[in-house]
């Protein structure tokens, strides 16, 4: 029992992240009591939210800092799988119900109308910016020179993990939005294409790490590896395979979910007319007017 309790002790306790995780959980719980939310959506949300918590606030963090392939498992949980499960449940309406109409109208609406906030939001929610950040952050934090600095600097290490979580939540929120556009920020077709494009840099880097014969991250040997029976190259190859196949494969899963959302919108005739349909309607209207 003591060993189990020790596992759940944070390696790097973080009060801001604990507040964020607890706040998101309480808002969702309150919203699910106020608004009818299906059991399967609640299941996916709590699985994803728990996975993010485990990756940030348990001893998993220790092993991730001392073993490269475990670090890649952690990053996949924080950046890909955890946020993907959360947004697959589409918790936005439940969170909104948990906040309450009064708080939204008094505080959130004026905040979102504030010019600097609106400008930053428009930039972050741009389709190509979101895709570049999603794949770019993964590559950036794995650049060997940068990775060494991250592993030797606790605040920077925590910032890396936080950035992965928030970036993953933002990207999958845009891609898995089940609504038509507007109010969704991206057209349904773009939500299918972008996950596929975003996974290409991850796949390339993962393949390079998995097939390379040079140890790019000797920092793990210098700091002491958590699992002594695994050689540095094997450790790197395992980490590369994780990034190459399962982490990138989640993008394909997300694209399939986005395709399913598109088909549902089409069946319900909630898709906006295409440019060709609009031109055909205008032509038909003009023909009737002339006739």
């Amino acid at each position: 029992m003591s060993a189990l309790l020790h596992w759940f002790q944070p390696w790097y306790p973080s009060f801001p992240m604990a507040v964020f995780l607890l706040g998101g959980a309480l808002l969702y719980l309150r919203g699910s009591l106020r608004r009818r939310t299906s059991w399967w959506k609640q299941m996916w949300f709590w699985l994803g939210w728990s996975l993010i918590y485990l990756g940030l606030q348990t001893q998993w963090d220790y092993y991730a800092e001392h073993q490269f392939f475990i670090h890649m498992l952690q990053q996949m949980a924080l950046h890909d799988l955890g946020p993907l499960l959360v947004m697959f449940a589409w918790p936005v309406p439940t969170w909104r119900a948990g906040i309450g109409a009064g708080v939204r109208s008094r505080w959130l609406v004026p905040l979102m109308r504030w010019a600097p906030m609106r400008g930053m939001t428009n930039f972050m929610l741009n389709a190509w910016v979101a895709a570049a950040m999603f794949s770019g952050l993964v590559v950036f934090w794995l650049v060997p020179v940068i990775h060494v600095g991250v592993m030797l600097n606790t605040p920077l290490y925590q910032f890396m993990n936080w950035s992965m979580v928030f970036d993953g939540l933002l990207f999958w929120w845009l891609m898995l939005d089940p609504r038509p556009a507007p109010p969704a920020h991206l057209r349904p077709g773009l939500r299918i294409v972008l996950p596929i494009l975003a996974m290409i840099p991850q796949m390339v880097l993962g393949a390079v790490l998995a097939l390379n014969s040079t140890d790019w991250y000797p920092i793990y040997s210098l700091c002491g590896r958590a699992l002594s029976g695994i050689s540095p190259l094997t450790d790197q190859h395992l980490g590369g395979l994780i990034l190459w196949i399962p982490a990138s494969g989640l993008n394909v899963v997300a694209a399939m979910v986005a395709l399913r959302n598109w088909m549902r919108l089409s069946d319900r005739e909630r898709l906006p007319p295409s440019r060709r349909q609009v031109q055909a309607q205008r032509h038909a209207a003009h023909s009737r007017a002339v006739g």
Side-chain angles (χ1 to χ4, degrees), residues 245-257:
I245 300 175
S248 300
L250 290 173
N251 290 45
V252 178
V253 174
M256 295 174 65
V257 174

Side-chain angles (χ1 to χ4, degrees), residues 120-198:
M120 183 180 69
T121 303
N122 291 337
F123 174 77
M124 297 289 290
L125 297 182
N126 178 275
W128 302 107
V129 171
M133 286 180 56
F134 184 77
S135 57
L137 272 180
V138 174
V139 176
F140 174 78
W141 291 121
L142 288 175
V143 173
V145 175
I146 296 174
H147 199 74
V148 170
V150 168
M151 290 300 164
L152 296 177
N153 188 306
T154 299
L156 190 57
Y157 176 80
Q158 290 183 314
F159 176 74
M160 174 189 68
N161 287 340
W162 298 347
S163 69
M164 299 295 270
V165 171
F166 292 124
D167 182 57
L169 290 172
L170 172 66
F171 186 75
W172 296 130
W173 173 53
L174 290 172
M175 298 305 117
L176 301 184
D177 195 332
R179 303 170 299 173
H185 293 274
L186 304 184
R187 300 189 307 274
L190 200 55
R191 298 175 223 167
I192 302 171
V193 175
L194 282 183
I196 303 300
L197 295 178

Side-chain angles (χ1 to χ4, degrees), residues 31-62:
S32 63
L33 295 175
R34 290 183 168 187
R35 179 184 183 275
R36 184 177 179 181
T37 305
S38 63
W39 67 268
W40 69 266
K41 285 188 176 182
Q42 295 189 48
M43 178 189 70
W44 291 125
F45 172 84
W46 290 115
L47 280 175
W49 207 251
S50 299
L51 192 57
I52 294 173
Y53 174 84
L54 291 173
L56 289 172
Q57 295 292 290
T58 65
Q59 291 294 306
W60 188 354
D61 216 10
Y62 164 78

Side-chain angles (χ1 to χ4, degrees), residues 204-226:
V204 172
L205 179 58
V208 170
L209 291 175
L211 302 175
N212 203 297
S213 58
T214 302
D215 180 14
W216 283 15
Y217 307 105
I219 185 65
Y220 289 92
S221 296
L222 294 175
C223 294
R225 296 180 187 269

